[in-house]
Amino acid sequence: MVRDICRDIFFLSQKSEEATVGDLSVGADLLDTLTFHKDGCVGMAANMIGVAKRIICFDNAGAYMTMYNPVIIKKSEPFETEEGCLSLSGTRKTTRYKKIKVQYQNEEFQTRLRSFTGWTAQIIQHEVDHCDGVII
């Protein structure tokens, strides 16, 4: 189900709670909403649809991927960039990393480790910031 985009700065600045198996429908709604906004959006976090859970969806080189409880455990090669967000107007400068390693759970809630680089790494960092209540 496509949900409305949350633009409440106070809500978006709150840390999200751990996702559970009971939140699989939130992940499905998040993916539906991202797909609906695909022309102007490459990633979303659950708080962007009004649910404070650690769930992100993003374009992973042409195929959408959903992560539950993502945590960036390693990052290298910092660079400065400017990003926009569907939940906020305008753009903001931020530091990102070209290479990251993420620990997350898949749709079966199996823990996984995976490395990402470049644009995909940048998208994930932005969405994990959302989970952490960081406004970008």
Side-chain angles (χ1 to χ4, degrees), residues 21-125:
V21 174
D23 296 313
L24 286 171
S25 64
V26 175
D29 288 353
L30 188 61
L31 184 57
D32 289 346
T33 307
L34 175 58
T35 302
F36 180 81
H37 290 282
K38 67 182 175 189
D39 290 338
C41 187
V42 292
M44 295 186 79
N47 65 352
M48 293 175 68
I49 60 170
V51 181
K53 294 288 185 161
R54 291 189 70 86
I55 307 169
I56 67 172
C57 290
F58 57 93
D59 182 340
N60 181 22
Y64 289 118
M65 183 172 182
T66 302
M67 291 181 173
Y68 295 85
N69 303 313
V71 177
I72 298 169
I73 60 170
K74 187 176 182 183
K75 50 192 174 184
S76 62
E77 299 182 40
F79 67 98
E80 298 300 315
T81 190
E82 200 166 305
E83 296 176 350
C85 182
L86 195 59
S87 288
L88 307 166
S89 59
T91 60
R92 288 147 200 84
K93 292 182 180 183
T94 188
T95 301
R96 294 293 182 216
Y97 297 84
K98 292 180 185 177
K99 297 179 181 179
I100 62 171
K101 184 180 273 190
V102 183
Q103 179 177 301
Y104 66 96
Q105 292 171 310
N106 62 18
E107 288 86 353
E108 288 80 38
F109 275 78
Q110 299 163 321
T111 299
R112 298 286 185 247
L113 278 175
R114 186 162 171 192
S115 296
F116 296 89
T117 59
W119 179 236
T120 303
Q122 185 176 346
I123 297 166
I124 293 168
Q125 290 168 78

